[in-house]
Amino acid sequence: MQLAMVGLGRMGANIVRRLMRDGHECVVYDVNPEAVATLVAEGATGADSYADLAAKLQTPRIVWLMVPASITGQVADEVAAVLDRGDIIIDGGNSNYRDDVRRAAALRERGIEFVDVGTSGGVFGLDRGYCLMVGGSDAAVQHLEPILRTIAPGVGEIERTPGRDGDLAPEEQGYLHCGPSGAGHFVKMVHNGIEYGIMAAIAEGLNLLENADAGVREAEHSAEIAPLEEPEFYQFPIDTAKVAELWRRGSVVSSWLLDLTAAALHANPRLDGLAGRVSDSGEGRWTVKAAVDVGVPVPVLAASLFERFASRDEDRFANQVLSAMRLQFGGHQERPAGDVLEAGGRKVDEG
Ligand SMILES: NC(=O)C1=CN([C@@H]2O[C@H](COP(=O)(O)OP(=O)(O)OC[C@H]3O[C@@H](n4cnc5c(N)ncnc54)[C@H](O)[C@@H]3O)[C@@H](O)[C@H]2O)C=CC1
Ligand SMILES: O=C(CO)[C@H](O)[C@H](O)COP(=O)(O)O
């Protein structure tokens, strides 16, 4: 099939490569001409404007947007302006499903189909394939089936779920028509909410392991730091990188996120160069908002989102309020920063 890709960054370029590898024809556009030139050298057809892109596509045209979510609306409008009735716009970025619902309705009035495809796989997707969560009309999604099947991972080495037999269902191949417009990004939003929770659980657990020798360090600094009640129980100099590697094999918590964690710790055990200010792109917030809207408890997902905010010092005023209250009720002074002692990686302040 033929498809145009708008946005040739970390995701879009490799999706194009995966499509071309399977014989699909790709027309490519990016505001960065170098990104276009790179893919043209690999066999794609370059476009230097949306009009040029539309002219190079057979009808019904298929245009996949893989741009930052913040500009997807603007790009979708610009692309729609050069399309005709029956053409299809796909949004593969991490857009808010609410925008899809609105955008699909507006484009439907002009006879243009809008399909939202929540895409998971990151920079490894070229070879592993991308898990695709699709929202849109039955007709449009059926038309896109050959493209979805190529981009998705396929069955790979994953054994079939017991009880499933006969023809392979799309979800067994890594793509799923989840429902009407917005449903794909709704499922991807929740996927990313879960991602936050799993990431936070791994990070918290490994941090506890990093501090399992607090009793040893306590002895080294016994004159200086607040006493650890039972230092004899915290005498374990555990190699966190090795435990992460270990857990990849046969453990209940093995997962791709743990694989990536083990790789990062093996390459850089102290994680030097990372400040630990954790960004968020929106999906975690939207997940919590949706949960509030429908009255569903998501305490783990919410806590992991708030943990990211705290990592960026967004809890500073709350902590100042805490210190102010201690000062008020007990006359407890905050210790000056230089006087805060390190104990096993913890900040100890008993002022
Ligand atoms: N990086 C990741 O692991 C994943 C990213 N996503 C989503 O995929 C989308 C793209 O992400 P990345 O590839 O990581 O971003 P990126 O920043 O690597 O690439 C974005 C590309 O869009 C181009 N671009 C910007 N404005 C444009 C415009 N007006 N017209 C045409 N091209 C334009 C940029 O030049 C760049 O090449 C985002 O919505 C992101 O949230 C989804 C899943 C995973
Ligand atoms: O969709 C993804 C992975 O599934 C993207 O990598 C996403 O950007 C990660 O979300 P955040 O930036 O909020 O950590």
Side-chain angles (χ1 to χ4, degrees), residues 34-344:
E34 278 176 30
V36 175
T38 300
L39 283 167
V40 168
E42 296 177 34
T45 301
D48 58 15
S49 68
Y50 295 128
D52 186 31
L53 175 134
K56 286 175 170 157
L57 289 171
Q58 298 140 14
T59 55
R61 301 179 184 87
I62 302 169
V63 183
W64 182 304
L65 312 183
M66 208 61 189
V67 295
S70 55
I71 60 162
T72 297
Q74 174 207 324
V75 173
D77 288 345
E78 289 169 8
V79 169
V82 298
L83 297 185
D84 297 314
R85 296 186 79 78
D87 292 344
I88 302 174
I89 295 180
I90 301 169
D91 176 10
N94 276 328
S95 299
N96 190 323
Y97 74 95
R98 289 165 176 259
D99 293 335
D100 300 335
V101 172
R102 287 187 281 261
R103 197 165 291 137
L107 289 172
R108 200 174 300 126
E109 284 181 11
R110 297 165 53 185
I112 296 172
E113 291 273 7
F114 179 83
V115 176
D116 48 293
V117 179
T119 305
S120 182
V123 293
F124 291 83
L126 173 58
D127 295 319
R128 291 177 96 236
Y130 302 84
C131 178
L132 303 176
M133 296 148 257
V134 186
S137 74
D138 289 348
V141 176
Q142 271 165 24
H143 185 71
L144 297 174
E145 190 97 12
I147 286 170
L148 300 175
R149 212 177 307 121
T150 289
I151 299 173
V155 181
E157 290 167 7
I158 299 175
E159 284 175 23
R160 291 193 87 175
T161 299
R164 280 187 178 270
D165 47 27
D167 292 344
L168 286 169
E171 62 272 24
E172 292 180 278
Q173 300 172 62
Y175 66 98
L176 178 66
H177 185 193
C178 302
S181 297
H185 277 145
F186 191 91
V187 174
K188 178 70 192 329
M189 171 190 81
V190 175
H191 167 281
N192 280 22
I194 293 171
E195 184 177 294
Y196 284 27
I198 298 174
M199 289 169 71
I202 292 173
E204 288 180 16
L206 293 182
N207 192 27
L208 185 52
L209 288 180
E210 274 289 292
N211 287 280
D213 65 344
V216 178
R217 284 182 270 174
E218 163 97 356
E220 286 168 12
H221 303 284
S222 56
E224 295 173 321
I225 62 174
L228 189 62
E229 277 185 10
E230 299 169 308
E232 66 274 25
F233 292 120
Y234 303 99
Q235 300 284 326
F236 309 121
I238 291 174
D239 187 324
T240 309
K242 288 186 179 175
V243 173
E245 185 63 37
L246 170 74
W247 284 347
R248 296 179 61 210
R249 292 176 167 75
S251 96
V252 169
V253 298
S254 60
S255 66
W256 191 49
L257 284 170
L258 187 66
D259 296 347
L260 299 175
T261 307
L265 286 170
H266 180 64
N268 181 5
R270 304 302 312 164
L271 299 179
D272 294 327
L274 294 174
R277 292 175 63 85
V278 188
S279 300
D280 73 292
S281 312
E283 302 86 42
R285 299 181 192 214
W286 306 333
T287 302
V288 172
K289 182 173 186 326
V292 171
D293 285 348
V294 297
V296 165
V298 289
V300 171
L301 310 192
S304 59
L305 172 68
F306 293 158
E307 225 172 320
R308 290 193 181 199
F309 296 167
S311 80
R312 307 192 304 248
D313 219 14
E314 301 294 350
D315 56 352
R316 177 200 287 262
F317 187 67
N319 292 329
Q320 288 174 308
V321 171
L322 289 178
S323 283
M325 285 191 280
R326 288 183 77 242
L327 185 60
Q328 287 287 328
F329 64 65
H332 305 298
Q333 297 288 336
E334 249 188 358
R335 290 183 178 220
D339 197 28
V340 176
L341 304 169
E342 290 282 346

